[in-house]
Amino acid sequence: MAETPARHGTVVLERYESRALAGNPAGDPNVRTVPVYLPPSYDLEPRRRFPVAYLLAGFTGRGRALLNDAPWSEPIDQRMDRLVASGCGEMILVMPDCFTRFGGSQYLDSTATGRYEEHLIGELIPFVDGKYRTLGTREARGIAGKSSGGYGALVQAMKHPDRFAAVACHSGDMCFDYCYRGDVPKFCSTVQRAGGVAAWLEAFEARPQKKPDDLAALNLLAMAAAYSPNPAAEPFGVDLPCDLSTGAFRDEVWRRWLDHDPLTMIESRAGALRTLKLVYLDCGTQDEWNLHLGARMFAARLRELGVAHQHLEFDDGHMNVAYRYDVSLPKLAAALGAAA
Amino acid sequence: MAETPARHGTVVLERYESRALAGNPAGDPNVRTVPVYLPPSYDLEPRRRFPVAYLLAGFTGRGRALLNDAPWSEPIDQRMDRLVASGCGEMILVMPDCFTRFGGSQYLDSTATGRYEEHLIGELIPFVDGKYRTLGTREARGIAGKSSGGYGALVQAMKHPDRFAAVACHSGDMCFDYCYRGDVPKFCSTVQRAGGVAAWLEAFEARPQKKPDDLAALNLLAMAAAYSPNPAAEPFGVDLPCDLSTGAFRDEVWRRWLDHDPLTMIESRAGALRTLKLVYLDCGTQDEWNLHLGARMFAARLRELGVAHQHLEFDDGHMNVAYRYDVSLPKLAAALGAAA
Amino acid sequence: MAETPARHGTVVLERYESRALAGNPAGDPNVRTVPVYLPPSYDLEPRRRFPVAYLLAGFTGRGRALLNDAPWSEPIDQRMDRLVASGCGEMILVMPDCFTRFGGSQYLDSTATGRYEEHLIGELIPFVDGKYRTLGTREARGIAGKSSGGYGALVQAMKHPDRFAAVACHSGDMCFDYCYRGDVPKFCSTVQRAGGVAAWLEAFEARPQKKPDDLAALNLLAMAAAYSPNPAAEPFGVDLPCDLSTGAFRDEVWRRWLDHDPLTMIESRAGALRTLKLVYLDCGTQDEWNLHLGARMFAARLRELGVAHQHLEFDDGHMNVAYRYDVSLPKLAAALGAAA
Amino acid sequence: MAETPARHGTVVLERYESRALAGNPAGDPNVRTVPVYLPPSYDLEPRRRFPVAYLLAGFTGRGRALLNDAPWSEPIDQRMDRLVASGCGEMILVMPDCFTRFGGSQYLDSTATGRYEEHLIGELIPFVDGKYRTLGTREARGIAGKSSGGYGALVQAMKHPDRFAAVACHSGDMCFDYCYRGDVPKFCSTVQRAGGVAAWLEAFEARPQKKPDDLAALNLLAMAAAYSPNPAAEPFGVDLPCDLSTGAFRDEVWRRWLDHDPLTMIESRAGALRTLKLVYLDCGTQDEWNLHLGARMFAARLRELGVAHQHLEFDDGHMNVAYRYDVSLPKLAAALGAAA
């Protein structure tokens, strides 16, 4: 176990009452706890301003989970303390909570879940810049995440290059044909067996133990809520990627999903990506959702489009890879001009 | 364990030298062992003629495997003896060998594997009718199988209604979008890691122990060999459903696969299906390849097209469901006019 | 998701510098973070004193992990807030950290790991009673835990009936013949393959991803460190339950383990158990370590010995059963005289 | 796929009516099908006599299963043909059927199953020597098998050195403490849940699909029937290694099992083993039942006792290792003096 560094940062658990999420359609709370990590020098140098990075949790997670205690894996604050002690530039880290009843929002606005993109971009950024000594500029603001959080980071950076100057995407959702589509028939069977999506979700929520099949189904429901919301659809205002009565795949819904695929979005966002000082992505070559293939295709297209980037692979699967932040956070700090 | 019936049939292991398969491109033998089951009365009534059913083995299997000894599951001859003892009509059963280097041929002609459809239809049928006391008419000839064999049975019945009057399809491959497509990225990763499809296949063949990932990859290779052969493609004369260098899905190849999907074929073969005296299909509702969804869609389309059929479901997965022959064989015998 | 109760408790993260653990043989830190939950009325009624319960984490866990954020499962403080809102008596909860390099100490003193029992009983109890408004009596002090924490709770209650008046043991280690012994050959193989226990542990610690086989091996090493320490043994001062050179099971070491089995200890501790106001144990009937069998045997022996107790079973496995605290904490609070 | 050798042997399916098994207590048939493989020269040289080896199938198997057709694995007759073509001496192979209702007999006499050892030694050997051109001497008779068949081979060779001069044991059951004992609590839970061993077995037999947990339980029941039969015990005349009402392990029953453990038997059978011309054992180092540890201990004890032997390991698990016969059969043939 690594020696605890002498100097360490502070975590503030911000209780944020969101207007964007008030009365959201999924019935989720609009008051969220947002951990903010302040680096070791924050208190010691009361006039110094710092770059800031937003860290987005993966599916079924939220910011607080990045602070969880676990054997052989540091919570993010101790990880950052250790990295800083090793020369990484000091940054403020903000850990939003965009969890929903469906397990997550993909950090997007949706009529089915709520305005999570607005919450992140329109609310949290000014709140953090107003309350904490961030540098407050786009040049000193980055975004990162893993899995659905990696997706969120990459998509938000592409959509808001005026807000973010650097992005790190770990095992992020992309190439939806490879990462989600194979689960559509499983979703269909699971939900049909339960008697429909509302009956299934209710039963899921009532079960103390959540099974892998259920989590796979929940994942697809969350993606439908994020990518193909439809206020007229019953239940939950969501168009599903399959017809539950016939079991048939719904191409027209799928095309709406693909509009949100980073592999699609890159075509119209290359200009945004070129303005970024860091485009970092990595993925394990045994990723159970085939995200390493998506990352390779995304990186290949970046190359073709002349977008500077870093694309790394490592020999592991999708789960428990927080150790990859050891690679990305120092790069992010450097790109945002953080001083050691 | 069931009592052994007093009267029992005979199995002849025919050694058939195929001209259709001579010099086949995959280098597989053209001499095949084809078990033929002769029912109990065959020897006792030397002038009696019998209906005949062709039983097609699933992927990685061939006719002989239907005779394998296993605990708590009868070989097909003992199963048929027991069914006959219980009143099932007596039929001859023919068990072709259409195995290939890739694990199977899907019972189709392909420039990549060989002329297995021709072998089955053009060679075995006349050979069997010539050598054994079959009734020899289309009205008294059926076809059945499980998994890839169920696919083969259904497809051959649709393509050759002049040869077959009844079909039973157990857990047959259909709705390729649901049963194969999700494995394309896995195939891609497995083969890329091995350094290409030729290197992978060689390593696979050398390994004494075949792993599940390997068998999933082999399955896709076999399907490509059956559905998207291309004499100009290297290696193996097969167009793959993904680009191994970029990892990208190849829609134009996939469309060729879909031409072989029973869900596609049904559109132009409804007339053929209407002439059948029995169209039977069943599938387990926990089928790991989602084939129960395909079966439901196929059955729904049969209904819409006004094709009489029987569609059953049972509570099980894909493997070890030979006990379903207890349901289909008596129906097949009845449809073919077999006397008890 | 349950409504957040209006009144909620507070968690203080105590940093405790242990003398008992100073210079411990496993090289683990002697400064530990011990979360203390103060119930809702603690601040509102500044003269009121409260019962206290010690909650022991399972193998590879420590107190802080009980506060982890997870979807569909509350951290212990929110769970307790909700229970209190539903009428559960208010208690202080103390969550010790007895983690070691080997994954846990079983809350015992050992020459191989350190004096964790002394730390818990001799240090934390007086510290908590001195700093917080506990009632401070044995009658108002309880202990509970799950898995290795359930073991710790039961064993400490049996050994220190002068300190604890109530115990709740969830899925606790017992009947070592059933819960550990089957893993001895796996441990042996894993460690032999790695070139010995020191080489194995070093490699384990270096691997970013911990595999199930490794965790099973670590579990046995931790148990050996807890149950069969031997200062003269190399490495780690631990006698292993198998001879690594021959692979043979070591009966004489195993007998030392059995001395620590609750099923053994009960024989000499019935008197202590009879003094407890609550002896509660439960276990899932699909427990992967067969602990439901151990619990039944323990309960049967309690019955024979005339010890009042409650023994419940539930339909689940070993993991993710924190929801069982909903049953035990109110019982514990009632037994300790906690007012709602 | 290997070239089919020009010369090949013949398989005769002997239908043997056993007196030893007539009216056996488990109600299994006493008429058994025993495949006999006659090597290529058998017919060509009508006066030549051959060594003979008995091949024992593993748990849930019987002789016929050695002839099963499978992809990438030869049936034993084709394997032997290929080995002979490569220079292996020609032998007759006999494949007994000692299957029982419980999945197997361990090739022992038992009041619970029947007289399978007597059937093998007292019936089949003279029958084969009488009917086929074996050399008929102990010097030219060997025995081999895998898993429970490896156990059977080793035990029969130890008990009947007057009948066998060579033995090959692949992944054979030994060190019962490591290979069976860990499954006792699982067995106990499975059977308790079903309402007792008779109810469980009946339900097992009725299920078309046999689950892994069920097969593990069946395995223990079969071992109890083989190692701890007790005509007075209900049901099935079997003493179980655990008390189904309390769940407790039964040491006195276990000791009876251990009497049948090769690790125990070796102590009194070293003399017998020393007379063998070949004692061969091997096991995969990832054996799921830890049999590689047992094999090492057995080999170590052979070494200490001065018994010449060959002990090999290979990098694989327990299942699908028939390819190891490529190593053992030529050694066996050589030891028995078989001419190429």
Side-chain angles (χ1 to χ4, degrees):
Chain A
M1 189 165 286
E3 202 64 20
T4 307
R7 300 172 63 230
H8 51 86
T10 313
V11 172
V12 181
L13 294 184
E14 284 290 347
R15 186 179 172 281
Y16 185 86
E17 185 166 348
S18 166
R19 296 180 64 174
L21 301 181
N24 65 73
D28 288 303
N30 77 315
V31 179
R32 301 293 175 118
T33 299
V34 182
V36 178
Y37 166 86
L38 304 172
S41 301
Y42 193 88
D43 284 341
L44 300 173
E45 306 178 33
R47 313 203 135 205
R48 180 170 161 191
R49 290 186 167 271
F50 296 84
V52 59
Y54 289 76
L55 293 193
L56 308 186
F59 186 63
T60 77
R62 50 184 175 179
R64 266 180 289 179
L66 296 169
L67 301 169
N68 279 354
D69 192 65
W72 314 291
S73 178
E74 304 151 302
I76 196 75
D77 57 322
Q78 291 179 21
R79 183 180 299 277
M80 193 63 190
D81 286 348
R82 177 175 50 78
L83 292 172
V84 166
S86 306
C88 172
E90 296 192 48
M91 296 189 288
I92 293 168
L93 303 177
V94 181
M95 300 161 232
D97 172 1
C98 295
F99 187 73
T100 73
R101 181 185 186 186
F102 308 120
S105 63
Q106 297 297 95
Y107 304 93
L108 296 175
D109 288 349
S110 153
T111 56
T113 56
R115 298 168 61 213
Y116 286 91
E117 180 171 342
E118 170 59 20
H119 168 58
L120 176 63
I121 305 297
E123 290 187 335
L124 285 185
I125 290 180
F127 168 76
V128 167
D129 287 341
K131 178 152 182 186
Y132 294 95
R133 278 179 277 116
T134 64
L135 283 160
T137 62
R138 176 264 187 195
E139 301 305 317
R141 191 183 299 112
I143 189 162
K146 187 243 157 181
S147 196
S148 283
Y151 170 82
L154 190 56
V155 163
Q156 295 304 321
M158 285 197 282
K159 292 173 87 169
H160 303 286
D162 54 322
R163 305 299 176 96
F164 301 107
V167 61
C169 167
H170 297 290
S171 307
D173 299 14
M174 56 186 80
C175 191
F176 291 1
D177 274 323
Y178 281 179
C179 68
Y180 302 139
R181 187 168 175 151
D183 284 334
V184 170
K186 306 289 182 199
F187 169 80
C188 186
S189 293
T190 298
V191 169
Q192 282 182 337
R193 200 175 306 126
V197 73
W200 172 80
L201 185 61
E202 224 167 285
F204 168 79
E205 290 176 336
R207 270 195 281 282
Q209 198 70 264
K210 315 301 185 192
K211 304 274 172 63
D213 277 3
D214 278 336
L215 290 171
L218 188 76
N219 188 46
L220 277 217
L221 178 56
M223 298 310 137
Y227 305 144
S228 55
N230 172 5
E234 285 294 339
F236 304 134
V238 165
D239 279 337
L240 299 177
C242 56
D243 184 316
L244 287 182
S245 58
T246 66
F249 190 73
R250 298 174 69 185
D251 277 304
E252 73 285 6
V253 172
W254 188 249
R255 277 192 293 274
R256 290 165 61 200
W257 286 41
L258 292 183
D259 289 343
H260 296 276
D261 188 335
L263 280 185
T264 309
M265 294 179 70
I266 193 176
E267 297 307 324
S268 56
R269 310 277 179 175
L273 285 161
R274 275 191 210 95
T275 70
L276 299 179
K277 295 187 285 186
L278 175 72
V279 176
Y280 172 90
L281 66 163
D282 69 15
C283 196
T285 53
Q286 302 171 50
D287 191 283
E288 291 85 352
W289 283 268
N290 313 301
L291 295 168
H292 54 301
L293 297 178
R296 285 178 199 167
M297 286 185 249
F298 193 85
R301 195 67 188 123
L302 286 173
R303 208 158 38 242
E304 289 165 359
L305 293 166
V307 179
H309 66 279
Q310 301 183 33
H311 171 226
L312 298 184
E313 296 194 334
F314 53 94
D315 180 27
D316 208 338
H318 190 74
M319 308 307 287
N320 305 319
V321 294
Y323 61 86
R324 295 300 302 174
Y325 280 118
D326 279 16
V327 179
S328 64
L329 289 175
K331 289 179 188 288
L332 211 55
L336 300 176
Chain B
M1 191 164 284
E3 203 62 18
T4 306
R7 301 173 63 232
H8 50 86
T10 313
V11 172
V12 181
L13 293 184
E14 283 290 347
R15 187 179 171 281
Y16 186 86
E17 184 166 348
S18 165
R19 296 182 61 177
L21 300 182
N24 64 73
D28 287 303
N30 77 316
V31 179
R32 301 293 175 118
T33 299
V34 182
V36 177
Y37 166 86
L38 304 171
S41 302
Y42 193 88
D43 284 342
L44 299 172
E45 307 177 34
R47 313 205 134 204
R48 180 171 160 191
R49 290 188 168 269
F50 296 84
V52 61
Y54 289 76
L55 292 194
L56 309 186
F59 186 63
T60 76
R62 50 184 175 180
R64 265 180 288 178
L66 296 169
L67 302 169
N68 279 354
D69 192 66
W72 313 292
S73 178
E74 303 150 302
I76 196 74
D77 57 323
Q78 290 179 21
R79 183 181 299 278
M80 194 62 189
D81 287 348
R82 177 175 50 78
L83 291 172
V84 166
S86 306
C88 173
E90 296 191 48
M91 299 188 288
I92 294 169
L93 303 177
V94 182
M95 302 163 230
D97 172 0
C98 296
F99 187 72
T100 72
R101 181 186 186 187
F102 308 120
S105 64
Q106 297 297 92
Y107 304 92
L108 297 176
D109 287 348
S110 153
T111 55
T113 56
R115 297 170 61 214
Y116 287 90
E117 182 170 343
E118 171 59 18
H119 168 60
L120 175 63
I121 304 297
E123 291 188 334
L124 286 185
I125 290 179
F127 168 77
V128 167
D129 286 342
K131 178 154 182 186
Y132 294 96
R133 279 180 275 114
T134 65
L135 284 160
T137 62
R138 175 263 189 196
E139 301 306 317
R141 192 182 298 111
I143 189 163
K146 188 241 156 182
S147 194
S148 282
Y151 170 84
L154 189 57
V155 162
Q156 294 305 321
M158 285 197 282
K159 294 173 86 170
H160 303 285
D162 54 322
R163 306 298 177 97
F164 302 107
V167 61
C169 166
H170 296 291
S171 308
D173 300 13
M174 56 187 79
C175 191
F176 292 0
D177 274 322
Y178 282 179
C179 69
Y180 302 139
R181 186 167 176 153
D183 284 333
V184 170
K186 306 290 180 198
F187 169 79
C188 186
S189 293
T190 297
V191 170
Q192 282 182 339
R193 200 175 306 126
V197 71
W200 172 79
L201 185 61
E202 224 167 286
F204 168 80
E205 291 176 337
R207 268 195 282 283
Q209 197 71 263
K210 316 301 186 191
K211 303 272 172 65
D213 277 2
D214 277 336
L215 291 171
L218 187 77
N219 188 46
L220 276 217
L221 178 57
M223 298 311 137
Y227 305 142
S228 53
N230 173 5
E234 286 296 338
F236 305 135
V238 166
D239 279 337
L240 300 176
C242 55
D243 183 316
L244 286 182
S245 58
T246 67
F249 190 74
R250 298 175 67 186
D251 276 305
E252 73 285 5
V253 173
W254 188 249
R255 277 192 293 272
R256 290 167 61 200
W257 286 40
L258 291 183
D259 288 343
H260 296 275
D261 188 336
L263 280 185
T264 308
M265 295 178 69
I266 193 177
E267 297 307 325
S268 56
R269 311 277 179 176
L273 286 161
R274 276 192 210 96
T275 70
L276 299 179
K277 294 187 285 184
L278 175 72
V279 177
Y280 172 89
L281 67 162
D282 70 13
C283 194
T285 53
Q286 302 170 51
D287 191 283
E288 292 84 352
W289 282 268
N290 312 302
L291 296 167
H292 54 301
L293 297 179
R296 285 178 200 168
M297 287 185 249
F298 193 84
R301 194 70 188 122
L302 286 173
R303 206 157 41 240
E304 289 166 358
L305 293 167
V307 178
H309 65 280
Q310 300 183 33
H311 170 226
L312 297 183
E313 296 194 335
F314 52 95
D315 180 28
D316 208 338
H318 189 75
M319 308 307 286
N320 306 318
V321 294
Y323 60 87
R324 296 301 301 175
Y325 279 118
D326 279 17
V327 179
S328 64
L329 289 175
K331 289 178 188 287
L332 211 54
L336 300 175
Chain C
M1 188 162 290
E3 201 65 18
T4 306
R7 299 173 63 231
H8 52 84
T10 313
V11 172
V12 181
L13 295 184
E14 284 291 347
R15 186 179 172 281
Y16 185 86
E17 185 166 348
S18 166
R19 295 181 63 174
L21 302 181
N24 65 73
D28 287 303
N30 77 315
V31 179
R32 300 293 175 119
T33 299
V34 182
V36 177
Y37 166 86
L38 305 171
S41 301
Y42 193 88
D43 284 342
L44 299 172
E45 306 177 32
R47 313 205 135 203
R48 180 171 162 191
R49 290 187 169 271
F50 297 84
V52 60
Y54 290 77
L55 293 192
L56 309 186
F59 186 63
T60 76
R62 51 183 174 181
R64 266 179 289 179
L66 296 169
L67 301 169
N68 279 355
D69 193 67
W72 313 292
S73 177
E74 304 150 303
I76 196 75
D77 57 323
Q78 291 178 23
R79 183 180 299 277
M80 194 61 191
D81 286 349
R82 177 174 51 75
L83 291 172
V84 165
S86 306
C88 172
E90 296 191 48
M91 297 187 288
I92 293 169
L93 303 177
V94 181
M95 300 161 232
D97 172 1
C98 296
F99 187 73
T100 73
R101 181 186 186 186
F102 307 119
S105 63
Q106 297 296 93
Y107 304 93
L108 296 175
D109 288 348
S110 154
T111 56
T113 56
R115 298 169 61 213
Y116 287 90
E117 181 171 341
E118 170 59 19
H119 168 58
L120 176 62
I121 305 296
E123 290 187 335
L124 286 185
I125 290 180
F127 168 75
V128 167
D129 286 342
K131 178 153 182 186
Y132 294 95
R133 279 180 274 114
T134 64
L135 283 160
T137 63
R138 175 261 187 196
E139 300 305 317
R141 191 182 298 112
I143 189 162
K146 189 242 156 182
S147 195
S148 283
Y151 170 83
L154 189 56
V155 163
Q156 295 304 321
M158 286 197 281
K159 293 174 86 169
H160 303 285
D162 54 322
R163 306 300 177 97
F164 301 108
V167 61
C169 166
H170 297 292
S171 307
D173 300 15
M174 57 187 79
C175 191
F176 291 1
D177 274 323
Y178 281 0
C179 68
Y180 302 139
R181 187 168 175 153
D183 285 333
V184 170
K186 306 290 180 198
F187 170 80
C188 185
S189 292
T190 297
V191 169
Q192 281 182 337
R193 200 175 306 125
V197 72
W200 172 79
L201 185 61
E202 222 167 287
F204 168 80
E205 290 176 336
R207 270 194 282 284
Q209 199 70 262
K210 314 302 184 190
K211 304 272 172 64
D213 277 2
D214 278 336
L215 290 171
L218 187 76
N219 188 47
L220 277 218
L221 179 57
M223 298 311 136
Y227 305 143
S228 54
N230 173 4
E234 285 296 335
F236 305 135
V238 166
D239 278 337
L240 299 176
C242 55
D243 182 316
L244 287 182
S245 58
T246 65
F249 190 73
R250 298 174 68 186
D251 277 305
E252 74 285 6
V253 173
W254 188 249
R255 278 192 292 272
R256 291 166 61 198
W257 287 40
L258 291 183
D259 288 342
H260 296 276
D261 187 335
L263 280 185
T264 308
M265 294 179 70
I266 193 175
E267 297 307 325
S268 55
R269 310 275 179 176
L273 286 161
R274 277 192 208 96
T275 70
L276 299 178
K277 295 186 286 184
L278 175 72
V279 176
Y280 172 90
L281 67 162
D282 70 13
C283 195
T285 54
Q286 302 171 49
D287 191 282
E288 292 86 350
W289 283 268
N290 313 302
L291 295 169
H292 54 302
L293 297 179
R296 286 177 198 168
M297 286 186 249
F298 193 84
R301 195 67 188 123
L302 286 173
R303 208 158 37 241
E304 290 165 359
L305 293 167
V307 178
H309 65 281
Q310 301 183 34
H311 171 225
L312 298 183
E313 296 195 333
F314 53 94
D315 180 27
D316 208 339
H318 190 75
M319 309 306 287
N320 305 318
V321 295
Y323 62 86
R324 296 299 302 174
Y325 280 120
D326 280 16
V327 178
S328 64
L329 288 175
K331 288 178 188 288
L332 211 55
L336 300 175
Chain D
M1 191 165 288
E3 203 62 21
T4 305
R7 300 173 63 232
H8 51 86
T10 314
V11 172
V12 182
L13 294 184
E14 285 291 347
R15 186 180 172 280
Y16 185 85
E17 185 167 347
S18 165
R19 296 181 62 174
L21 301 181
N24 64 73
D28 288 303
N30 77 315
V31 180
R32 301 293 175 119
T33 299
V34 182
V36 177
Y37 167 86
L38 303 171
S41 302
Y42 192 89
D43 283 342
L44 299 172
E45 305 178 34
R47 312 204 137 206
R48 178 169 162 192
R49 291 188 168 270
F50 297 85
V52 60
Y54 289 77
L55 293 192
L56 308 186
F59 186 63
T60 77
R62 51 184 175 181
R64 265 180 288 178
L66 296 168
L67 301 169
N68 279 353
D69 192 67
W72 313 292
S73 179
E74 302 152 304
I76 195 74
D77 57 322
Q78 292 180 22
R79 184 180 300 278
M80 194 61 190
D81 286 349
R82 177 175 50 75
L83 291 172
V84 165
S86 306
C88 173
E90 296 192 49
M91 298 187 286
I92 294 169
L93 302 177
V94 181
M95 301 161 231
D97 172 1
C98 295
F99 187 72
T100 73
R101 181 186 185 188
F102 308 120
S105 64
Q106 297 297 94
Y107 303 93
L108 297 176
D109 287 348
S110 154
T111 56
T113 57
R115 298 170 60 212
Y116 287 90
E117 181 170 342
E118 170 60 19
H119 168 59
L120 176 63
I121 304 298
E123 291 188 335
L124 285 184
I125 289 179
F127 168 76
V128 168
D129 286 343
K131 178 155 183 185
Y132 293 97
R133 281 181 272 113
T134 64
L135 285 161
T137 62
R138 174 262 190 196
E139 300 306 316
R141 191 182 300 112
I143 190 163
K146 187 242 157 183
S147 194
S148 282
Y151 170 83
L154 189 56
V155 163
Q156 295 305 320
M158 285 196 281
K159 293 174 88 170
H160 303 285
D162 54 323
R163 306 298 178 98
F164 302 108
V167 61
C169 166
H170 297 291
S171 309
D173 299 14
M174 57 187 78
C175 191
F176 293 1
D177 274 321
Y178 282 179
C179 69
Y180 301 139
R181 187 169 177 152
D183 284 333
V184 170
K186 305 290 181 200
F187 169 80
C188 186
S189 293
T190 297
V191 170
Q192 282 183 337
R193 200 176 305 125
V197 72
W200 172 79
L201 185 62
E202 224 168 283
F204 168 79
E205 290 176 337
R207 270 194 281 283
Q209 197 73 261
K210 315 301 186 193
K211 303 273 171 63
D213 276 2
D214 278 336
L215 291 171
L218 187 76
N219 188 47
L220 277 217
L221 178 57
M223 299 310 137
Y227 305 142
S228 53
N230 173 5
E234 286 295 338
F236 305 134
V238 165
D239 279 336
L240 300 176
C242 55
D243 183 316
L244 287 182
S245 59
T246 65
F249 191 74
R250 297 175 69 186
D251 277 305
E252 75 286 4
V253 173
W254 189 248
R255 277 192 293 271
R256 290 166 62 198
W257 287 40
L258 291 184
D259 288 343
H260 297 276
D261 187 336
L263 280 186
T264 308
M265 295 178 69
I266 193 176
E267 297 307 324
S268 57
R269 310 276 179 176
L273 285 161
R274 276 193 209 96
T275 71
L276 299 178
K277 295 188 284 185
L278 174 72
V279 176
Y280 172 90
L281 67 162
D282 69 14
C283 194
T285 53
Q286 302 171 50
D287 191 283
E288 292 85 351
W289 284 268
N290 313 303
L291 295 168
H292 55 300
L293 297 179
R296 285 177 200 168
M297 286 185 251
F298 193 85
R301 194 70 188 119
L302 286 173
R303 207 159 37 243
E304 289 165 358
L305 292 167
V307 179
H309 66 280
Q310 302 183 33
H311 171 225
L312 298 183
E313 297 194 334
F314 52 95
D315 180 27
D316 208 339
H318 190 75
M319 308 306 287
N320 306 317
V321 294
Y323 61 87
R324 295 300 301 174
Y325 279 119
D326 279 17
V327 179
S328 63
L329 288 175
K331 289 178 188 289
L332 210 54
L336 300 176

